[in-house]
Amino acid sequence: MAGDVDGERKLEVLDVCPQLVLQDRTKGFYDGYIIVCKFSNFSENSWGSKAEENGKCQRLLQSADLPSFLLELKNILICMQKEFLLICGLRETPDKQGEEHSKFGFKEKLLKCQKSEKVTTQPMYYTHLVAEIEAIGWESLCGSFFSSVENICQHPHVAPTCATDLPVKQFTFSWSPQGNPLQHLCYQFEQVLCQFQDFWDMLDEIDHKTWILEPDQPRRSCTNRRIALGNNASIQIDLNPANPRLLPECRFLGPDNVVVPLREHLNAGVQSWDPQLSVFVNLECLLGQKFPSPSTTKKEDFSMECGICYAYCLNDLIPDKVCEDSRCGQSFHSLCLYEWLRDLPSTRQSFNMVFGDCPYCSKPIIVKMVSGK
């Protein structure tokens, strides 16, 4: 087949598969689509016996060049009705009217699908699309905030599906097939990024100047941080992306003898919160103490393992319950502590709270009922 010519011209790859796009100058790497279904003669036994299967594979291996290989591949794939039916998920089962009715129904469905899809068959479509993306920059469409841009097979007539790493549920944008729609999409996305820049600046300062216990590797869409305070205590904050300089939601975790004074400091100084200052600076002022710094301390000093399962992470959760006795201060996963206390005869329960003794020092300890599911 490599010797076949169309007039005086040698058969090229794009003559066989016009939806492939050349990726390098050596003409050895292509990307794109190969259309193999022509909706013509279907045969239930078209793949043939094992010997015929080996023969077809041998024909592929003996192809003289890439165009001839693609021709052989297309001919073989067109015949693979059974595998094709399974891939499409449109396999029909013979009914009372016979197998021919089943085949007709299948072909009718495929033809309907083909008509409903806007498939571009000209290589210039992909050339234009790649040129438009390169003009913008591939990193603009697949950067740290743009997770993916999908469903561009109908570009520019249909808007793509965009997955982003923004602190909002959905990135909404306007779309017009006129002009350079992808460039306009990136422009709109950059405008949204500017709206959240101050929010990310607040969190970046906290990430660099404190020990973050949770999440371990925060995404750009994450709005909360659990910050180590020392003495088995921590504070969990949740920033408002729309107003990041306002006082965030705060929750203290740790023994009462440590967190109660900190909570009182925070509540007493709420009125002195200064939106001109960063969240990090405001929190240190209101708490009346400095956060443990990564430059002078180690994270292991604040990452205490659970006193029951002896692990730090359990189903992506870190110990969140601490014995309130200052001489003990052992930390536990709430689930581990609940499972431990529920089997002891001295444990009592009131509504959703379980009262028992610390497994380490036997001092009173309370934990909420937790489901392991």
Side-chain angles (χ1 to χ4, degrees):
M1 291 187 181
D4 293 342
V5 293
D6 184 11
E8 298 297 328
R9 186 172 62 86
K10 183 179 179 181
L11 189 67
E12 299 289 345
V13 171
L14 295 181
D15 295 327
V16 183
C17 300
Q19 289 189 325
L20 292 179
V21 179
L22 184 63
Q23 300 294 309
D24 61 6
R25 296 181 179 179
T26 64
K27 296 185 178 181
F29 180 62
Y30 291 81
D31 193 9
Y33 301 90
I34 300 176
I35 304 300
V36 297
C37 183
K38 300 300 182 183
F39 309 112
S40 55
N41 297 326
F42 287 91
S43 174
E44 190 67 26
N45 297 315
S46 57
W47 179 252
S49 63
K50 186 67 176 179
E52 291 175 339
E53 176 182 345
N54 294 334
K56 291 172 182 177
C57 292
Q58 190 66 24
R59 283 161 53 192
L60 287 174
L61 294 175
Q62 294 178 351
S63 299
D65 52 24
L66 185 55
S68 62
F69 175 86
L70 292 173
L71 276 177
E72 291 289 357
L73 179 63
K74 290 180 69 172
N75 289 334
I76 291 174
L77 291 178
I78 289 173
C79 296
M80 296 173 62
Q81 179 191 6
K82 289 184 179 180
E83 289 75 9
F84 187 67
L85 294 175
L86 290 174
I87 293 174
C88 291
L90 296 172
R91 182 162 189 167
E92 293 282 349
T93 55
D95 54 19
K96 295 180 181 180
Q97 296 183 3
E99 187 175 339
E100 291 300 321
H101 177 76
S102 173
K103 294 179 181 178
F104 176 78
F106 168 72
K107 288 190 285 185
E108 188 179 46
K109 285 186 178 181
L110 288 182
L111 288 171
K112 184 177 180 181
C113 291
Q114 188 189 43
K115 292 179 181 179
S116 64
E117 295 179 355
K118 296 180 180 178
V119 180
T120 305
T121 59
Q122 297 300 323
M124 289 303 298
Y125 160 75
Y126 299 100
T127 303
H128 175 73
L129 178 60
V130 171
E132 187 176 352
I133 295 176
E134 288 180 344
I136 302 170
W138 290 94
E139 67 282 356
S140 298
L141 292 180
C142 297
S144 58
F145 297 96
F146 241 143
S147 301
S148 65
V149 180
E150 302 176 351
N151 191 32
I152 61 173
C153 59
Q154 300 181 29
H155 176 79
H157 306 290
V158 178
T161 301
C162 302
T164 65
D165 198 19
L166 298 173
V168 289
K169 291 184 178 180
Q170 186 177 6
F171 166 54
T172 57
F173 58 92
S174 61
W175 181 265
S176 173
Q178 305 300 324
N180 297 312
L182 285 180
Q183 186 174 2
H184 184 56
L185 169 65
C186 289
Y187 173 77
Q188 295 178 75
F189 188 67
E190 290 173 357
Q191 298 302 307
V192 174
L193 290 182
C194 293
Q195 297 176 14
F196 296 111
Q197 191 56 56
D198 198 34
F199 164 76
W200 285 312
D201 289 343
M202 297 296 104
L203 288 178
D204 286 343
E205 182 182 19
I206 293 173
D207 292 342
H208 289 121
K209 295 184 179 181
T210 70
W211 282 119
I212 303 300
L213 303 181
E214 286 184 300
D216 186 34
Q217 295 181 341
R219 299 179 59 87
R220 302 304 281 177
S221 57
C222 185
T223 62
N224 64 285
R225 298 290 191 274
R226 181 176 172 186
I227 309 171
L229 294 173
N231 298 321
N232 298 327
S234 60
I235 179 174
Q236 182 161 327
I237 63 172
D238 195 349
L239 272 66
N240 182 351
N243 298 286
R245 290 183 177 271
L246 297 182
L247 176 65
E249 295 183 14
C250 299
R251 177 191 174 203
F252 289 93
L253 301 168
D256 283 348
N257 65 303
V258 178
V259 301
V260 168
L262 293 175
R263 187 182 295 113
E264 291 176 349
H265 269 287
L266 181 65
N267 293 336
V270 168
Q271 299 300 326
S272 62
W273 183 276
D274 187 357
Q276 300 299 321
L277 301 177
S278 68
V279 174
F280 171 80
V281 174
N282 271 304
L283 284 176
E284 283 196 334
C285 293
L286 268 62
L287 294 177
Q289 71 170 50
K290 297 289 185 179
F291 287 107
S293 171
S295 61
T296 57
T297 59
K298 298 180 179 180
K299 189 174 183 179
E300 291 76 14
D301 299 336
F302 311 101
S303 305
M304 294 189 63
E305 62 185 20
C306 174
I308 296 177
C309 71
Y310 301 108
Y312 180 62
C313 288
L314 177 66
N315 298 330
D316 296 328
L317 299 176
I318 68 174
D320 58 347
K321 188 63 182 178
V322 179
C323 177
E324 296 180 0
D325 191 289
S326 59
R327 295 168 296 180
C328 177
Q330 179 61 49
S331 58
F332 307 95
H333 296 112
S334 292
L335 176 60
C336 295
L337 184 59
Y338 170 67
E339 294 292 342
W340 175 280
L341 295 178
R342 66 183 297 192
D343 294 330
L344 298 179
S346 59
T347 299
R348 55 191 180 85
Q349 178 179 331
S350 176
F351 298 101
N352 66 334
M353 304 299 295
V354 175
F355 300 81
D357 299 327
C358 173
Y360 274 65
C361 67
S362 299
K363 295 297 182 180
I365 194 170
I366 306 172
V367 65
K368 288 184 178 181
M369 294 179 62
V370 182
S371 172
K373 299 181 181 179

